[in-house]
């Protein structure tokens, strides 16, 4: 049972970690990305279509990532170049993405809700010989796909990049004060657009992780609020890669737990499904409370 929960937690964490890291990059540049939900949906949809059309899962991963990047760039341009409110633009983008995807499903494929192709390619999972049979360690390391390892490597890489590269330092400076950064010759709008494109890329890959990695099909409601959970994760983690990833693992654990409780029976499915979202609210409330206490100590 422990191995099953660990394995499920790590698999379900991949979409969240990718999307949350993208949101953290955008937040470091000074923009709160509310459109992660829609960007994940775009990535999941294009990933399924491209992989089914070519018979190659890698093409699906690339298409989903590029689709998410384009969506992120378009959304960022509306915010940076037209001075639109980031919250309104993000919410509007989520609604538009859901509407367009739903329209294409019904008008082109003649289906409502779920799109499934025969012989759908999926991202292969990599078993590590000699490790897959070891309790706990095997569940942690073996049987994971390429996007899992990408997410795992991105956490230390982004932490290093934010602290040691020109891009990272300028992105953080832009997020702290756009006016001060611009006065030093930093192209703040370009940095924010780049951050928005990277956020869309990672969110799109998060959607691909759901459609080609976890489920092997597409459903227009498959994101199911994960974009907002990712937003909560990088907020809780203060946009720091490691803390953000740990928050994603915490939320994914409750998601895996509610799936386990539903299959075991004896609990109301409607109530159990709310468990991950209750955890999100509880964690955010705790983060807000500790933040208030910290500020109170500083001002005392």
């Amino acid at each position: 049972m422990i191995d099953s929960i660990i394995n499920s937690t790590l698999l379900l964490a991949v979409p969240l970690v990718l999307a949350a890291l993208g949101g953290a990059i955008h937040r470091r540049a000074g923009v709160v990305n509310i459109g992660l939900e829609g960007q994940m949906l775009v990535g999941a949809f294009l990933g399924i279509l491209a992989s089914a059309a070519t018979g190659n899962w890698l093409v699906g991963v690339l298409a989903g990532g590029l689709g998410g990047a384009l969506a992120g760039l378009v959304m960022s341009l509306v915010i940076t170049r037209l001075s639109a409110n980031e919250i309104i633009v993000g919410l509007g983008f989520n609604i538009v993405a859901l509407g367009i995807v739903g329209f294409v499903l019904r008008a082109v494929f003649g289906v409502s809700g779920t799109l499934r192709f025969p012989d759908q390619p999926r991202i292969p999972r990599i078993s590590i010989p000699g490790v897959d049979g070891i309790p706990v360690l095997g569940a942690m390391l073996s049987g994971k796909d390429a996007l899992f390892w990408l997410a795992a490597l991105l956490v230390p890489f982004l932490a290093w990049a934010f602290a040691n590269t020109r891009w990272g330092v300028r992105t953080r400076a832009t997020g702290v004060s756009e006016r001060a950064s611009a006065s030093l010759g930093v192209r703040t709008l370009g940095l924010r657009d780049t951050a928005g494109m990277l956020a869309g890329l990672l969110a799109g890959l998060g959607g691909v992780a759901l459609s080609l990695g976890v489920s092997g099909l597409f459903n227009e409601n498959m994101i199911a609020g994960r974009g907002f959970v990712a937003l909560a994760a990088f907020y809780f983690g203060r946009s720091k890669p490691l803390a953000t990833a740990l928050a994603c693992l915490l939320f994914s654990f409750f998601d895996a737990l509610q799936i386990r409780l539903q299959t075991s029976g004896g609990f109301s499915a409607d109530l159990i499904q709310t468990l991950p979202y209750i955890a999100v609210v509880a964690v955010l409330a705790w983060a807000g409370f500790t933040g208030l206490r910290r500020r109170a100590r500083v001002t005392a």
Side-chain angles (χ1 to χ4, degrees):
M1 179 177 176
I2 295 177
D3 281 5
S4 176
I5 292 179
I6 291 174
N7 186 58
S8 297
T9 297
L10 294 177
L11 290 177
L12 292 172
V14 173
L16 288 182
V17 170
L18 289 171
L21 290 178
I25 293 173
H26 214 178
R27 182 68 187 90
R28 283 295 182 99
V31 178
V32 179
N33 193 326
I34 307 295
L36 293 175
E37 185 91 357
Q39 292 159 13
M40 291 181 74
L41 186 68
V42 169
F45 188 51
L46 292 180
I48 278 285
L49 294 184
S51 62
T54 61
N56 190 319
W57 65 269
L58 183 57
V59 175
V61 171
L62 294 175
L66 291 176
L70 179 60
L73 178 60
V74 170
M75 197 185 84
S76 182
L77 288 173
V78 173
I79 295 170
T80 59
R81 311 297 169 159
L82 301 180
S83 300
N85 182 277
E86 60 193 19
I87 305 299
I88 302 301
V89 171
L91 292 175
F93 181 83
N94 290 335
I95 296 171
V96 169
L98 182 60
I100 292 176
V101 168
F103 171 78
V104 173
L105 282 178
R106 292 161 181 79
V108 178
F109 298 100
V111 299
S112 178
T114 301
L115 178 64
R116 187 195 307 266
F117 293 102
D119 301 322
Q120 170 66 55
R122 297 183 63 175
I123 304 174
R125 296 181 181 177
I126 304 169
S127 294
I128 303 177
V131 174
D132 51 0
I134 302 176
V136 180
L137 184 63
M140 292 174 61
L141 299 179
S142 187
K144 306 299 183 295
D145 59 30
L147 290 182
F148 169 85
W149 293 109
L150 173 63
L153 291 174
L154 273 176
V155 174
F157 173 77
L158 283 178
W160 172 83
F162 279 137
N164 298 285
T165 66
R166 176 180 296 181
W167 167 81
V169 172
R170 290 186 173 184
T171 297
R172 289 190 293 116
T174 299
V176 172
S177 176
E178 180 183 8
R179 182 175 298 180
S181 299
S183 69
L184 296 175
V186 177
R187 296 178 57 196
T188 57
L189 295 183
L191 278 172
R192 285 185 168 179
D193 290 337
T194 300
M197 185 171 62
L198 290 174
L201 171 66
L202 292 178
L205 291 177
V208 172
L210 277 175
S211 60
L212 295 184
V214 176
S215 62
L217 53 83
F218 176 80
N219 185 283
E220 60 183 321
N221 295 315
M222 71 186 308
I223 307 302
R226 286 181 172 87
F228 295 106
V229 174
L231 188 151
F234 74 73
Y235 172 80
F236 175 70
R238 300 181 184 276
S239 298
K240 297 178 180 178
L242 179 58
T244 296
L246 291 176
C248 290
L249 284 174
L250 176 64
F251 298 148
S252 298
F253 167 75
F254 284 103
D255 198 7
L257 183 61
Q258 65 93 6
I259 293 173
R260 184 78 180 185
L261 292 176
Q262 284 191 64
T263 56
S264 65
F267 299 93
S268 171
D270 293 331
L271 292 177
I272 292 301
Q273 288 175 355
T274 65
L275 187 59
Y277 307 101
I278 292 175
V280 170
V281 173
V283 167
L284 289 179
W286 179 77
F289 176 72
T290 54
L292 288 174
R293 290 185 59 185
R294 188 181 302 111
R295 285 193 292 271
R297 285 197 299 267
V298 170
T299 57

